[in-house]
Amino acid sequence: MQKQGVVFDFNGTLFWDTELQNRSWDEFLVNYGLELSAEEKDTWMHGVNAKDTFEYLFKRPCSEEEVDRLTEEKEVIYRRMCLEEGMEWAPGALELIHFLKENNVPLAIATASAKNNVEFFIQHMGLLDYFSRDRIIFNDGTSRGKPHPDLFNKAIHALGLSAPGVTIFEDSISGVEAARNAGAGNVVVVNGTSERFGKYNYSIITHFEQVDRNVFMN
């Protein structure tokens, strides 16, 4: 039987921070006199490459230096809110991770977050207790954003597996599309609704205890 592996998105998947992301974006947008609909946020902010986001917002090309500056400006707001509100793993996430590690299922993270945020999560949520650093794949500026499969492809490569043997956990439309484009053998939608994700015919969970652990027992 083919060896199984797991790749988790992080924001909105292992850490349910969508409300904080939206609020921090709202504060950032106000500073620039901008406003987006909920649909636009879903399409252009969650799981999307920062360059794509800012070029959509400002309707013009943005240099890498400008993207880096704007990204950090927004993320300073986000990290402040995280510390104010508290940071907890998604319901049942750590229990599932412990199960997978105990059964030697290789794990990785593939997140559209930039390095500064990843280091923030490492410091405040102890990511290195569960994932090796070389299996935490993030937006380093060399990959296309989701729905392109680049981040997931890198994570799958880091696991040393082929895509059909990997389950990807995602919470966003762009992330699910990226998982499909990567050729993942299984996709699980986290904290979603059938109204938004029903067309994909994937399992939808609202607690990680709902994950069928038998899938990972070779």
Side-chain angles (χ1 to χ4, degrees):
M1 185 178 293
Q2 188 173 35
K3 185 172 178 61
Q4 298 294 314
V6 172
V7 177
F8 295 98
D9 173 51
F10 187 74
N11 301 94
T13 298
L14 291 178
F15 176 38
W16 288 4
D17 63 341
T18 302
E19 181 185 353
L20 292 174
Q21 290 283 2
N22 286 336
R23 284 167 50 197
S24 60
W25 272 115
D26 286 342
E27 185 171 323
F28 174 87
L29 292 171
V30 166
N31 293 338
Y32 287 88
L34 299 171
E35 185 175 352
L36 293 185
S37 67
E39 182 178 356
E40 285 178 304
K41 290 177 184 175
D42 195 39
T43 302
W44 291 102
M45 292 182 175
H46 300 304
V48 180
N49 183 287
K51 183 175 176 64
D52 295 336
T53 299
F54 289 119
E55 291 186 343
Y56 176 79
L57 287 176
F58 296 109
K59 310 301 182 190
R60 59 175 174 77
C62 295
S63 69
E64 293 299 331
E65 292 77 14
E66 185 178 18
V67 169
D68 289 345
R69 176 181 61 79
L70 291 168
T71 296
E72 185 60 12
E73 184 179 329
K74 182 269 174 184
E75 299 305 350
V76 165
I77 299 170
Y78 166 76
R79 294 194 293 266
R80 186 198 77 223
M81 290 182 175
C82 284
L83 294 176
E84 290 172 349
E85 299 289 334
M87 303 170 68
E88 296 182 1
W89 292 79
L94 287 183
E95 289 81 1
L96 177 62
I97 290 170
H98 285 303
F99 168 84
L100 295 171
K101 290 177 71 68
E102 288 168 1
N103 287 277
N104 299 313
V105 178
L107 308 176
I109 286 174
T111 175
S113 291
K115 187 176 189 300
N116 285 352
N117 271 13
V118 170
E119 294 299 333
F120 176 77
F121 299 133
I122 287 173
Q123 177 183 358
H124 292 282
M125 297 185 73
L127 296 192
L128 296 184
D129 293 339
Y130 312 103
F131 301 88
S132 61
R133 187 176 281 273
D134 65 332
R135 291 181 175 179
I136 301 176
I137 309 303
F138 58 91
N139 174 21
D140 62 358
T142 66
S143 301
R144 296 172 298 174
K146 302 170 185 177
H148 297 290
D150 302 27
L151 291 170
F152 286 133
N153 287 344
K154 287 184 177 181
I156 292 167
H157 178 75
L159 294 179
L161 300 176
S162 60
V166 172
T167 294
I168 293 178
F169 289 85
E170 255 291 354
D171 73 296
S172 69
I173 296 291
S174 62
V176 168
E177 290 290 341
R180 284 162 52 89
N181 291 335
N186 185 30
V187 180
V188 178
V189 178
V190 178
N191 204 27
T193 64
S194 57
E195 288 77 16
R196 291 186 65 219
F197 293 95
K199 67 178 181 179
Y200 295 108
N201 198 31
Y202 294 140
S203 297
I204 300 174
I205 64 168
T206 55
H207 194 297
F208 279 93
E209 70 180 5
Q210 297 166 344
V211 175
D212 180 5
R213 282 143 168 82
N214 292 322
V215 171
F216 308 104
M217 302 300 291
N218 290 338

